[in-house]
Amino acid sequence: MNDKNLRFSTSVIAWPLAAVVAIWVVFWAEIRFSLHLNDWGIFPRTLEGLRGIILSPFLHGDISHLYNNTIPLFLLIAALRFFYRNQALKVIVFGVLISGILTWLIGRSSYHIGASGLIYVLASFIFFKGIQTKYFRLVAVSFIIILLYGGMIWYVFPDVEDGISWEGHLSGFVTGFVFSRLMKTPEYQKTPVFDWEKPTYRKEQDEFMQQFDENGNFAPWRKIDEEIFEDHYFSLSPKYRYIIVPKPEPEISEDEMNVP
């Protein structure tokens, strides 16, 4: 693994910033022009509700809903772009589509809006993919995800909180997990090449290997007297055992002895 795969670029900031600006501009437009865009969200199992698959991530019910989605959306897109540069665009685009379709299929008959479906896609993908790569930096990122957003898992279950689209959360979580299994990250899964596997390797130049003979025996041991070696290293009767030491009797002073 080469850490050159982890490199900062303007897109690490530009992508999440563009996403955050977009959802805030839409919310501002709703208030400024008295628009009611909630009807453009996902309404399950209706043709009209299909448009919400693309539009619902930009729609939010109130300022609290918007604010709660802003910070995790920014951080998770930035992390995705930095650590999974080659997969980032696919995860975002197909994450919105697939999680939206699943929400349209399993959701209650109500409008489902908000960027939280995408947030669950991102958190799920980054967590599971980091564990699967077994690369220490990405595993550390997975644990950071758990530390910051581990509590999100409760909101994929029904009736945890009124007014929450657990269907959207569950759809995003499942989508992120599936993506982590299907999307390959060969840049993090290269088989390490050890020194002795390289064409330039020479045993006579390896100080460690010089300690072994042609049969793989540890050479310095041959200098040990055979009788002493067998006595101390291969004796079937261990010379050292746990022993029992009697507890000493407490000393009695003369004054205590003379007490009637």
Side-chain angles (χ1 to χ4, degrees):
M1 164 59 201
N2 192 336
D3 281 349
K4 290 182 179 179
N5 292 299
L6 304 177
R7 63 184 185 276
F8 181 83
S9 66
T10 55
S11 61
V12 176
I13 299 298
W15 285 27
L17 185 61
V20 168
V21 169
I23 61 177
W24 276 87
V25 167
V26 170
F27 187 76
W28 171 84
E30 283 191 85
I31 297 177
R32 178 66 178 80
F33 301 105
S34 300
L35 303 175
H36 300 283
L37 301 180
N38 290 353
D39 295 349
W40 291 73
I42 298 173
F43 199 93
R45 297 171 298 281
T46 66
L47 291 177
E48 186 182 56
L50 287 172
R51 62 190 179 186
I53 292 174
I54 297 175
L55 300 178
S56 62
F58 300 95
L59 309 176
H60 293 82
D62 53 39
I63 190 66
S64 176
H65 185 202
L66 178 64
Y67 174 76
N68 289 333
N69 282 346
T70 296
I71 296 177
L73 184 65
F74 184 94
L75 294 178
L76 291 171
I77 292 180
L80 179 74
R81 181 58 177 166
F82 182 79
F83 293 103
Y84 300 97
R85 176 174 298 273
N86 298 329
Q87 299 79 21
L89 185 60
K90 293 180 181 178
V91 172
I92 293 173
V93 173
F94 290 108
V96 169
L97 294 176
I98 302 302
S99 65
I101 292 172
L102 289 176
T103 303
W104 183 84
L105 290 173
I106 69 173
R108 290 163 289 178
S109 296
S110 181
Y111 289 104
H112 298 253
I113 60 174
S116 55
L118 176 59
I119 290 172
Y120 273 79
V121 172
L122 300 176
S124 178
F125 175 83
I126 295 173
F127 171 75
F128 287 112
K129 197 62 186 177
I131 299 298
Q132 293 163 17
T133 61
K134 299 180 182 179
Y135 176 55
F136 72 100
R137 296 187 189 279
L138 300 183
V139 172
V141 173
S142 295
F143 283 113
I144 292 175
I145 293 296
I146 285 294
L147 180 64
L148 294 178
Y149 301 116
M152 291 169 49
I153 190 64
W154 298 112
Y155 295 99
V156 304
F157 299 107
D159 302 327
V160 172
E161 184 177 335
D162 293 337
I164 296 295
S165 175
W166 64 267
E167 300 95 331
H169 298 167
L170 178 61
S171 298
F173 182 83
V174 172
T175 300
F177 172 74
V178 172
F179 283 3
S180 73
R181 302 294 298 178
L182 296 180
M183 293 189 181
K184 305 301 181 183
T185 52
E187 63 271 28
Y188 294 123
Q189 296 169 330
K190 295 179 181 178
T191 303
V193 178
F194 299 99
D195 288 340
W196 60 82
E197 297 176 319
K198 297 178 181 178
T200 57
Y201 175 75
R202 297 293 181 271
K203 179 180 178 180
E204 58 273 11
Q205 298 176 354
D206 191 328
E207 296 182 359
F208 176 77
M209 293 302 297
Q210 290 176 8
Q211 301 179 77
F212 299 88
D213 62 18
E214 62 278 3
N215 297 318
N217 298 315
F218 188 50
W221 284 12
R222 294 181 299 174
K223 301 177 181 179
I224 301 176
D225 182 82
E226 183 177 354
E227 181 179 351
I228 297 177
F229 183 81
E230 291 181 354
D231 181 53
H232 287 277
Y233 290 91
F234 289 99
S235 173
L236 296 179
S237 301
K239 302 285 191 302
Y240 305 99
R241 303 182 179 91
Y242 285 109
I243 62 175
I244 298 175
V245 179
K247 181 179 180 181
E249 295 292 336
E251 297 181 1
I252 302 176
S253 64
E254 294 182 0
D255 293 338
E256 290 177 331
M257 293 177 62
N258 295 327
V259 174

